[in-house]
Amino acid sequence: MSDAAHLAIEVTGLRKRYGGNEAVAGVDLSVSAGEVLAFLGPNGAGKTTTVEILEGLRSRTSGHVRVLGTDPAEATAAWRERLGVVLQGAKHEGDFTASEIVTMWSAYYRSPRRVADVLELVGLRDAARTRTRRLSGGQQQRLAVALALVGDPELIFLDEPTTGFDPAARREAWETIAGLRSLGVTVMLTTHYMDEADQLADRIVVISRGHIVADGTAAELARHAAIPTRVSWDAAELRRDQLPERLRELLAAPAASGPADPPEVSAGVEARPTIATGDVDGVVRELLAAADAAGTRLDSLAVRPPTLEDTYLALTGDGS
Amino acid sequence: MNRLAQLRSEARFNLLGFRRSPAATFFTVVLPIIFLVIFTSIFGNEIISSTGARVATVYVPGILALALVSANFMNAAIVTVIRRENGVLKAMRATPLPPWVYVGGQLAASLVLTAFMTALVIGIGWLGYSVEVQPGAVPSLLITLGVGAAAFSALGLAITCVCPSEQAAPAITNMCVLPLYFVSDVFIPSEGAPRWMVVIGDIFPIKHLAHALGNTFDPFSEGIPMPVSRWLIIAAWGVFGVLVTLRWFRWTPRG
């Protein structure tokens, strides 16, 4: 079998121009069947535009696009049967109950799932008879997922499923999305939260200003971004003048915080010398040796690898 | 599901939404009845010397026209704008439901509402004001209701193209129909009104609707009424509504 047969989504050279502005500037993307992919990027990076082109809701300027083997620009009802779409912030009729809305939408499909099953799947069984205007933000989002699931799709698009949520609602939505994995559906979710992408997805594709800037697991993205790990300790335990020459230079380089005065008298961050390095092992060994030589202990030693946020900011260029 | 079942389901949920919306229920069901009672009370229900018929013979069809406009034009417009602005129409676009089934479901719901209001207004007119449907006029009544419901539903979809927001929809739709009621023999007879008012009434479809319905109740009309020219004018407005909708209708929020 060819590779294409396993691909739920296949995109090459996708472009979308609005006047003089190119919102999507040559995107290549492939998503395998059964994969959970996070499409990550800051607001205005071209995420929603790309996804709406894939959903057949928006036209494209150029490029090759196949979603479940079909060009979305020639969307048919049969193709839409196989697709589930959760748009950003759609609000359903507040006077209907959750169960009524799912029933109404189940009529749109040839062989829908049972309404009770869908509500169970997204954890809304107890809210089935609640008017949707009284559902919490997290519950409303679950309802939106229920509507995307009711047609028993092979592929689901989720556009920013947790934007504007409080932590509890976010956790709820994450559980629901994680549950989709067990159904074996392919999921493409857009988000501007790196932790969300890391938490939910097998693979992360990062888009910035209309271009794909990285593609891989969270760990691979961190390596790709090549952000140094930060090694720090309390100046009270090991002073600058007790360090070997090489470490002193490393210390001076990134740190405008490197104190010229004796560290004992400086306060705050300056009381915590920090070395940013790609060679964690070497730096730590030298630090421990220096502590040995000075006859002190380095109980305060901390090694902080780059966070997801550091990686994200470095990749999307938002940190600069 | 097959298309017929889909249509039925859409119509059923449209009617459910209508029943649960206090504003829609008040303006479409309660208000026309209040108008009917108020106008016939103010102007009495005497025999008008010039026509020989009772005053209510004019008000029953007028109020029926108002109820039809409300059940079709106002409802279609307001519900559609609310759904559009909340992203529901856009989400529907991503399902296999064909747009014509969506529109058909809404039209079917409006027809049910129109039938209900017709029965209610005719019932009150008959019991309260001795206004009777002339048996020979029943075909004319049914054709007028059908043409009117379709045309005003189409105009309801068309007017959404100029409604920028959920809040604007009730204001814009009322702005279209309220002044017309006054020049269309719905609230007051246009007899003796200035020429320009008569002309405006003649251009727009509400007056033709009121008069086409009026034939149904006129005890002195001879033979079987067939107000063909009025039907054609109403239908022409409906076609205009369809064309505007096809050209400018949006599924995505404007706000």
Side-chain angles (χ1 to χ4, degrees), chain B residues 15-27:
Chain B
L15 287 169
L16 186 65
F18 176 85
R19 281 211 322 264
R20 291 202 185 144
S21 160
T25 315
F26 176 77
F27 284 107

PDB file of all heavy atoms in Angstrom, chain B residues 15-27:
ATOM      1  N   LEU B  15     -39.885  24.693  15.563  1.00  0.00           N
ATOM      2  CA  LEU B  15     -41.104  25.000  16.302  1.00  0.00           C
ATOM      3  C   LEU B  15     -40.873  24.936  17.807  1.00  0.00           C
ATOM      4  O   LEU B  15     -41.400  25.747  18.567  1.00  0.00           O
ATOM      5  CB  LEU B  15     -42.223  24.029  15.899  1.00  0.00           C
ATOM      6  CG  LEU B  15     -42.809  24.270  14.500  1.00  0.00           C
ATOM      7  CD1 LEU B  15     -43.715  23.114  14.092  1.00  0.00           C
ATOM      8  CD2 LEU B  15     -43.581  25.581  14.471  1.00  0.00           C
ATOM      9  N   LEU B  16     -40.022  23.985  18.221  1.00  0.00           N
ATOM     10  CA  LEU B  16     -39.691  23.868  19.643  1.00  0.00           C
ATOM     11  C   LEU B  16     -38.982  25.136  20.118  1.00  0.00           C
ATOM     12  O   LEU B  16     -39.285  25.695  21.176  1.00  0.00           O
ATOM     13  CB  LEU B  16     -38.807  22.637  19.864  1.00  0.00           C
ATOM     14  CG  LEU B  16     -38.482  22.285  21.310  1.00  0.00           C
ATOM     15  CD1 LEU B  16     -39.737  21.883  22.063  1.00  0.00           C
ATOM     16  CD2 LEU B  16     -37.454  21.153  21.370  1.00  0.00           C
ATOM     17  N   GLY B  17     -38.029  25.600  19.293  1.00  0.00           N
ATOM     18  CA  GLY B  17     -37.308  26.825  19.632  1.00  0.00           C
ATOM     19  C   GLY B  17     -38.260  28.012  19.715  1.00  0.00           C
ATOM     20  O   GLY B  17     -38.149  28.860  20.607  1.00  0.00           O
ATOM     21  N   PHE B  18     -39.227  28.058  18.788  1.00  0.00           N
ATOM     22  CA  PHE B  18     -40.219  29.132  18.784  1.00  0.00           C
ATOM     23  C   PHE B  18     -41.034  29.111  20.079  1.00  0.00           C
ATOM     24  O   PHE B  18     -41.202  30.129  20.743  1.00  0.00           O
ATOM     25  CB  PHE B  18     -41.138  28.961  17.572  1.00  0.00           C
ATOM     26  CG  PHE B  18     -42.267  29.951  17.523  1.00  0.00           C
ATOM     27  CD1 PHE B  18     -42.082  31.208  16.969  1.00  0.00           C
ATOM     28  CD2 PHE B  18     -43.502  29.637  18.062  1.00  0.00           C
ATOM     29  CE1 PHE B  18     -43.116  32.122  16.936  1.00  0.00           C
ATOM     30  CE2 PHE B  18     -44.536  30.550  18.040  1.00  0.00           C
ATOM     31  CZ  PHE B  18     -44.342  31.800  17.470  1.00  0.00           C
ATOM     32  N   ARG B  19     -41.512  27.909  20.444  1.00  0.00           N
ATOM     33  CA  ARG B  19     -42.354  27.786  21.642  1.00  0.00           C
ATOM     34  C   ARG B  19     -41.600  28.211  22.899  1.00  0.00           C
ATOM     35  O   ARG B  19     -42.182  28.741  23.832  1.00  0.00           O
ATOM     36  CB  ARG B  19     -42.809  26.334  21.818  1.00  0.00           C
ATOM     37  CG  ARG B  19     -43.937  25.947  20.926  1.00  0.00           C
ATOM     38  CD  ARG B  19     -44.844  24.886  21.568  1.00  0.00           C
ATOM     39  NE  ARG B  19     -44.162  23.873  22.345  1.00  0.00           N
ATOM     40  CZ  ARG B  19     -43.803  22.680  21.884  1.00  0.00           C
ATOM     41  NH1 ARG B  19     -44.043  22.357  20.637  1.00  0.00           N
ATOM     42  NH2 ARG B  19     -43.211  21.810  22.672  1.00  0.00           N
ATOM     43  N   ARG B  20     -40.278  27.977  22.900  1.00  0.00           N
ATOM     44  CA  ARG B  20     -39.515  28.280  24.116  1.00  0.00           C
ATOM     45  C   ARG B  20     -39.002  29.713  24.134  1.00  0.00           C
ATOM     46  O   ARG B  20     -38.372  30.127  25.097  1.00  0.00           O
ATOM     47  CB  ARG B  20     -38.335  27.310  24.226  1.00  0.00           C
ATOM     48  CG  ARG B  20     -38.829  25.915  24.522  1.00  0.00           C
ATOM     49  CD  ARG B  20     -37.765  25.063  25.152  1.00  0.00           C
ATOM     50  NE  ARG B  20     -38.255  23.711  25.298  1.00  0.00           N
ATOM     51  CZ  ARG B  20     -37.509  22.634  25.159  1.00  0.00           C
ATOM     52  NH1 ARG B  20     -36.220  22.756  24.885  1.00  0.00           N
ATOM     53  NH2 ARG B  20     -38.024  21.445  25.318  1.00  0.00           N
ATOM     54  N   SER B  21     -39.240  30.462  23.046  1.00  0.00           N
ATOM     55  CA  SER B  21     -38.765  31.846  23.026  1.00  0.00           C
ATOM     56  C   SER B  21     -39.928  32.784  23.357  1.00  0.00           C
ATOM     57  O   SER B  21     -40.858  32.936  22.580  1.00  0.00           O
ATOM     58  CB  SER B  21     -38.207  32.172  21.639  1.00  0.00           C
ATOM     59  OG  SER B  21     -38.183  33.575  21.480  1.00  0.00           O
ATOM     60  N   PRO B  22     -39.882  33.406  24.532  1.00  0.00           N
ATOM     61  CA  PRO B  22     -40.993  34.283  24.927  1.00  0.00           C
ATOM     62  C   PRO B  22     -41.201  35.433  23.946  1.00  0.00           C
ATOM     63  O   PRO B  22     -42.348  35.781  23.645  1.00  0.00           O
ATOM     64  CB  PRO B  22     -40.549  34.823  26.296  1.00  0.00           C
ATOM     65  CG  PRO B  22     -39.457  33.926  26.756  1.00  0.00           C
ATOM     66  CD  PRO B  22     -38.819  33.357  25.537  1.00  0.00           C
ATOM     67  N   ALA B  23     -40.121  36.000  23.416  1.00  0.00           N
ATOM     68  CA  ALA B  23     -40.255  37.133  22.500  1.00  0.00           C
ATOM     69  C   ALA B  23     -40.976  36.702  21.225  1.00  0.00           C
ATOM     70  O   ALA B  23     -41.922  37.354  20.777  1.00  0.00           O
ATOM     71  CB  ALA B  23     -38.884  37.708  22.169  1.00  0.00           C
ATOM     72  N   ALA B  24     -40.541  35.592  20.643  1.00  0.00           N
ATOM     73  CA  ALA B  24     -41.147  35.115  19.399  1.00  0.00           C
ATOM     74  C   ALA B  24     -42.626  34.798  19.623  1.00  0.00           C
ATOM     75  O   ALA B  24     -43.486  35.179  18.821  1.00  0.00           O
ATOM     76  CB  ALA B  24     -40.406  33.882  18.889  1.00  0.00           C
ATOM     77  N   THR B  25     -42.921  34.124  20.718  1.00  0.00           N
ATOM     78  CA  THR B  25     -44.308  33.757  20.997  1.00  0.00           C
ATOM     79  C   THR B  25     -45.172  35.000  21.182  1.00  0.00           C
ATOM     80  O   THR B  25     -46.271  35.094  20.649  1.00  0.00           O
ATOM     81  CB  THR B  25     -44.390  32.900  22.279  1.00  0.00           C
ATOM     82  OG1 THR B  25     -43.366  31.926  22.229  1.00  0.00           O
ATOM     83  CG2 THR B  25     -45.725  32.211  22.385  1.00  0.00           C
ATOM     84  N   PHE B  26     -44.655  35.969  21.914  1.00  0.00           N
ATOM     85  CA  PHE B  26     -45.444  37.177  22.160  1.00  0.00           C
ATOM     86  C   PHE B  26     -45.734  37.925  20.865  1.00  0.00           C
ATOM     87  O   PHE B  26     -46.869  38.233  20.553  1.00  0.00           O
ATOM     88  CB  PHE B  26     -44.735  38.101  23.156  1.00  0.00           C
ATOM     89  CG  PHE B  26     -45.465  39.399  23.364  1.00  0.00           C
ATOM     90  CD1 PHE B  26     -46.597  39.450  24.161  1.00  0.00           C
ATOM     91  CD2 PHE B  26     -45.047  40.554  22.717  1.00  0.00           C
ATOM     92  CE1 PHE B  26     -47.290  40.630  24.326  1.00  0.00           C
ATOM     93  CE2 PHE B  26     -45.732  41.745  22.878  1.00  0.00           C
ATOM     94  CZ  PHE B  26     -46.859  41.782  23.690  1.00  0.00           C
ATOM     95  N   PHE B  27     -44.672  38.206  20.093  1.00  0.00           N
ATOM     96  CA  PHE B  27     -44.863  39.036  18.899  1.00  0.00           C
ATOM     97  C   PHE B  27     -45.671  38.335  17.816  1.00  0.00           C
ATOM     98  O   PHE B  27     -46.399  38.978  17.072  1.00  0.00           O
ATOM     99  CB  PHE B  27     -43.511  39.515  18.354  1.00  0.00           C
ATOM    100  CG  PHE B  27     -42.932  40.625  19.168  1.00  0.00           C
ATOM    101  CD1 PHE B  27     -41.845  40.414  20.010  1.00  0.00           C
ATOM    102  CD2 PHE B  27     -43.499  41.892  19.120  1.00  0.00           C
ATOM    103  CE1 PHE B  27     -41.338  41.445  20.783  1.00  0.00           C
ATOM    104  CE2 PHE B  27     -42.994  42.933  19.883  1.00  0.00           C
ATOM    105  CZ  PHE B  27     -41.910  42.701  20.728  1.00  0.00           C
TER     106      PHE B  27
END
